[in-house]
Amino acid sequence: MLESKSKEAALESVAGNGLLHRRIFIAQGTALLGAGGLGLLTPSLAAAQRLPNLAKVPGKSMSGYGNRSPYEAHIERNNILSYPGTTGSGGSWTPLESLEGIITPSALHFERHHSGVPDIKPEEHRLLIHGLVDRPLVFDLDALSRYPMVSRIQFIECSGNSRVGEGALPVQKTCGGLHGLLSCSEWSGVPLSILLDEAGVDPKARWLLAEGADSAAMTRSVPMAKAMDDALIALYQNGERLRPSNGYPMRLLLPGYEGNASIKWLRRIKVTSGPTMTRNETAEYTDTRPDGSSLLFTFEMEVKSVITAPSLGRSMRQPGLYEISGLAWSGAGRISKVEVSVDGGKSWGLAALADPVLSKSFTRFRAAWRWNGTPAVIMSRAFDESGAQQPSRKQLLEARGLKRNYHYNAIQSWKIAANGEVTNVHA
Ligand code: CO
């Protein structure tokens, strides 16, 4: 398919089984691909002459609030579950395999509720800050909206995300079905540190309690250092007011922390000397170790990556050049590099990181692969600026046993069959 020997030489192999140098995705490198370079069919003139001519037909009118194309309506959150006997305690998963870039559309942001989505009238909602402060304060939405706001692109991941990977047999679900308790948005709101400074925090205060207005009264303890660092009272998501299922009219946002701690429908912050030891940080969201003891307050989501394409449901076609695309993220900061293997982990090559590479955000990575049409196992592993490396499944399970249900960040592998079909495998 490639036109010249120089182009051929530019597609240098960097690891076994046809993984190519990432330069293809850097600067003008994509020009090397040329028409048809990724195995796409070059359109013929005959095909072009059959294009429908819609230009003579008046289209639809404008609308007050936009909708996506009806031809995309099958792209939905999946695994939607509600525990028996409840109306809205459960979750729904973002279809990661159907999305590109790093922003999750608000309508596809994952959901995890402990007692459904409350119907909150914005003019009635209040945020109370009290406890070990000089001046207890109450904010309504109007008052909060007058403070200086900041916008940040941050991921949120449920600490139970990907936990099916612990099972002895690989579960056959899409990338989003396996890993979709994970989304990334631009969040805008008021830094919590500004409000705490205004309230006047007692020097003895080391923690705070954050409480939601849902009927589960979700409550978590948060270290004061985090509250003063990058915690946000988020009012906007991807440019518009929060969606009800993401905490309307206001939520706590703790970048890089397990999602449950970013309390939705936030109504109260109590400044305290120590952690409150609420139900949701003692009976749940703790990590039981092989000896039966449990770790409390394991907030940070560790470095991780997933390949979104090719993946289950996004099969390969004929042999040729393909782009491998995926997401990497870390609660510790920026992604420093991502490596990809297309020979089951025997050899690895660097993936290209797409701009922007932001702290505690999604990073999109890409790699080029010349698939020869024989069965192959592909996988990715991410590294972050703290020096941490995404572990293999074997390493993770050996290190912490099987009693731990949270913070599963192991490498996941896709097997490509000779016919191009993709399945989840434990490699
Ligand atoms: Co945890």
Side-chain angles (χ1 to χ4, degrees):
M1 291 176 207
L2 294 156
E3 290 167 17
S4 70
K5 281 192 174 167
S6 64
K7 283 188 177 180
E8 188 71 21
L11 298 176
E12 175 198 345
S13 267
V14 292
N17 204 22
L19 191 77
L20 303 178
H21 195 283
R22 70 190 190 287
R23 72 168 58 92
I24 225 169
F25 295 109
I26 298 170
Q28 282 81 42
T30 46
L32 293 166
L33 292 171
L38 285 177
L40 304 174
L41 299 174
T42 306
S44 67
L45 188 60
Q49 284 168 343
R50 290 196 298 272
L51 287 178
N53 184 0
L54 297 176
K56 295 175 183 169
V57 183
K60 281 189 177 176
S61 185
M62 290 62 72
S63 61
Y65 195 86
N67 285 304
R68 62 183 169 176
S69 162
Y71 310 112
E72 298 295 322
H74 58 287
I75 307 297
E76 291 191 309
R77 290 185 281 232
N78 54 36
N79 293 353
I80 298 170
L81 65 87
S82 203
Y83 295 121
T86 74
T87 54
S89 179
S92 69
W93 275 244
T94 293
L96 300 169
E97 69 283 355
S98 300
L99 306 175
E100 254 299 340
I102 60 169
I103 299 293
T104 308
S106 300
L108 294 173
H109 193 289
F110 85 88
E111 302 166 295
R112 173 73 181 100
H113 313 311
H114 292 247
S115 189
V117 180
D119 178 14
I120 297 177
K121 294 183 176 64
E123 66 275 15
E124 291 174 5
H125 188 77
R126 300 288 183 275
L127 171 62
L128 166 66
I129 297 182
H130 70 138
L132 295 175
V133 294
D134 298 336
R135 295 169 293 280
L137 300 171
V138 179
F139 300 90
D140 63 15
L141 192 57
D142 277 350
L144 265 188
S145 298
R146 276 187 233 125
Y147 283 80
M149 281 195 223
V150 298
S151 299
R152 301 194 192 113
I153 298 175
Q154 318 270 206
F155 77 84
I156 299 182
E157 181 179 21
C158 176
S159 66
N161 193 29
S162 314
R163 64 164 54 149
V164 293
E166 292 174 353
L169 293 176
V171 173
Q172 297 309 325
K173 286 188 175 177
T174 60
C175 184
L178 296 172
H179 308 292
L181 290 174
L182 169 74
S183 304
C184 186
S185 300
E186 184 198 66
W187 303 95
S188 300
V190 183
L192 177 55
S193 60
I194 292 179
L195 306 181
L196 289 172
D197 282 344
E198 186 168 339
V201 172
D202 187 307
K204 291 193 299 290
R206 291 288 178 272
W207 289 72
L208 55 80
L209 175 76
E211 181 184 71
D214 55 331
S215 59
M218 178 56 62
T219 39
R220 290 293 304 263
S221 302
V222 179
M224 182 59 70
K226 180 68 173 176
M228 289 302 199
D229 178 16
D230 57 0
L232 206 61
I233 308 298
L235 306 175
Y236 293 83
Q237 177 184 6
N238 297 331
E240 62 183 353
R241 289 286 187 188
L242 302 179
R243 297 270 163 139
S245 64
N246 270 289
Y248 183 84
M250 62 185 71
R251 74 175 300 167
L252 185 58
L253 185 77
L254 301 174
Y257 271 29
E258 57 191 18
N260 178 255
S262 285
I263 299 291
K264 293 179 287 192
W265 314 294
L266 184 69
R267 72 172 172 189
R268 187 166 71 101
I269 286 176
K270 183 181 183 186
V271 176
T272 58
S273 56
T276 303
M277 309 301 275
T278 71
R279 179 187 174 281
N280 277 282
E281 56 204 19
T282 52
E284 290 186 279
Y285 298 100
T286 65
D287 302 315
T288 304
R289 295 187 286 186
D291 68 1
S293 64
S294 289
L295 298 171
L296 293 166
F297 309 117
T298 52
F299 290 119
E300 195 174 285
M301 298 308 291
E302 294 91 342
V303 63
K304 189 167 167 182
S305 67
V306 294
I307 292 175
T308 56
S311 62
L312 193 148
R314 294 192 65 180
S315 300
M316 310 275 280
R317 302 174 301 265
Q318 73 275 19
L321 275 175
Y322 282 86
E323 177 186 296
I324 293 171
S325 178
L327 293 167
W329 66 99
S330 170
R334 284 178 183 77
I335 292 297
S336 57
K337 65 174 177 176
V338 176
E339 294 178 335
V340 169
S341 173
V342 294
D343 59 6
K346 287 200 278 289
S347 62
W348 298 83
L350 278 178
L353 304 184
D355 285 335
V357 177
L358 302 168
S359 181
K360 305 171 190 177
S361 178
F362 278 0
T363 294
R364 176 66 63 174
F365 68 86
R366 303 180 194 283
W369 178 28
R370 190 198 310 278
W371 182 47
N372 64 13
T374 60
V377 172
I378 66 172
M379 56 183 79
S380 62
R381 64 184 182 195
F383 301 71
D384 68 26
E385 62 183 347
S386 81
Q389 172 181 343
Q390 184 179 7
S392 71
R393 182 172 174 277
K394 189 163 172 281
Q395 287 170 331
L396 187 74
L397 296 185
E398 276 177 7
R400 64 182 214 185
L402 278 170
K403 290 179 180 169
R404 188 168 168 177
N405 267 326
Y406 301 103
H407 297 275
Y408 184 92
N409 70 324
I411 294 167
Q412 186 243 319
S413 307
W414 299 114
K415 180 169 187 176
I416 319 294
N419 68 0
E421 276 180 25
V422 184
T423 50
N424 179 23
V425 291
H426 290 340

